[in-house]
Amino acid sequence: MRRAIRDNALGLCFLLLFLLSLAGQSVSGLAAFNEEQVAQGGAPISWAAYVTSSDFGVDVAENWQSEYLQFFLYILITVWLVQRGSPESKEPGEEGQESDADQKVGRHAGADSPAWARAGGWRLTLFSHSLGAVMGLIFVLSWLAQSVAGVAAYDAERLSRLEDPVGWTTYVTSAEFWNRTLQNWQSEFLAVASMVLLAVFLRERGSPQSKKVGDPHAAPVPGR
């Protein structure tokens, strides 16, 4: 058990941080929601009612879709675009999907390679793009969840003002929806750009996301 925890410590740490932050969001979000409810003459709701509400759902899904969009695009774009000296990038001249030998697929696969890396046809093609495909799928599902929860919350707000509700199509083409969505997208893209560029010139000793402290700024990253 101790070795399993050590070998998976990074993933477990971030899953724990995720659960703690999600719980914190539910508590603080409930407090803010009930404060607004009372200010408008309404009754406060329970925690269970809040975490199953469209208001909570849209806030969670909105963050998820932007995060998975960031990873989906980064996985695909870094196949073809490079940033010299950045540990987040391949080196110039290595653009593209690389050879079968480089990727250890087909007859170049090792004895311990995944079975589908040794296979051909559709299985190899699917496995070769499985990471991007899954990240893209989660992004699409999160985006749909955001739009469904968002239109429910938006319509509830309109009804409270005695205005007619709108349909899903109207909502996802509205300024309200895209204002919320693009707020998240721009912050994700800025964060990725900052990591790619700052990692060329700055270091974090011992981190696999950083070059060695003594590496020149424009030096190739060993093993990349």
Side-chain angles (χ1 to χ4, degrees):
M1 176 64 74
R2 190 177 303 176
R3 178 171 181 175
I5 292 175
R6 185 197 65 185
D7 290 349
N8 298 282
L10 183 60
L12 291 172
C13 176
F14 275 96
L15 284 174
L16 178 60
L17 290 172
F18 161 71
L19 293 174
L20 290 174
S21 60
L22 185 64
Q25 179 187 353
S26 71
V27 173
S28 59
L30 174 62
F33 183 85
N34 281 338
E35 184 178 325
E36 186 175 348
Q37 282 281 97
V38 172
Q40 295 178 354
I45 64 174
S46 67
W47 178 85
Y50 176 69
V51 296
T52 56
S53 69
S54 57
D55 289 88
F56 181 71
V58 68
D59 288 340
V60 172
E62 185 178 288
N63 287 314
W64 288 11
Q65 61 90 5
S66 63
E67 294 292 344
Y68 280 99
L69 174 64
Q70 171 197 147
F71 282 114
F72 170 64
L73 290 179
Y74 194 65
I75 289 166
L76 296 185
I77 291 173
T78 51
V79 173
W80 302 103
L81 301 182
V82 298
Q83 180 65 51
R84 180 181 291 276
S86 176
E88 299 297 314
S89 166
K90 296 187 291 187
E91 286 300 308
E94 297 179 359
E95 298 90 340
Q97 296 185 339
E98 303 176 353
S99 68
D100 287 354
D102 290 332
Q103 288 292 311
K104 300 179 182 179
V105 299
R107 63 186 180 86
H108 302 284
D112 57 349
S113 296
W116 282 26
R118 296 193 297 270
W122 67 270
R123 289 182 297 172
L124 177 57
T125 299
L126 180 59
F127 188 60
S128 296
H129 302 285
S130 55
L131 180 60
V134 170
M135 289 293 186
L137 178 61
I138 297 175
F139 160 67
V140 171
L141 293 177
S142 300
W143 185 89
L144 287 173
Q146 176 200 353
S147 67
V148 171
V151 70
Y154 186 65
D155 281 348
E157 184 179 346
R158 287 179 64 86
L159 288 170
S160 70
R161 300 196 302 263
L162 303 179
E163 298 176 351
D164 292 334
V166 301
W168 180 84
T169 303
T170 301
Y171 177 69
V172 297
T173 57
S174 68
E176 164 73 14
F177 176 78
W178 285 104
N179 180 53
R180 293 175 65 99
T181 299
L182 291 171
Q183 283 184 49
N184 284 281
W185 288 8
Q186 55 88 12
S187 63
E188 301 298 339
F189 296 152
L190 176 61
V192 172
S194 299
M195 184 63 186
V196 169
L197 296 173
L198 292 176
V200 176
F201 304 102
L202 305 179
R203 310 286 190 270
E204 185 58 48
R205 186 167 184 159
S207 174
Q209 300 305 309
S210 169
K211 294 187 290 189
K212 303 296 184 184
V213 176
D215 283 345
H217 294 320
V221 182
R224 295 295 178 94

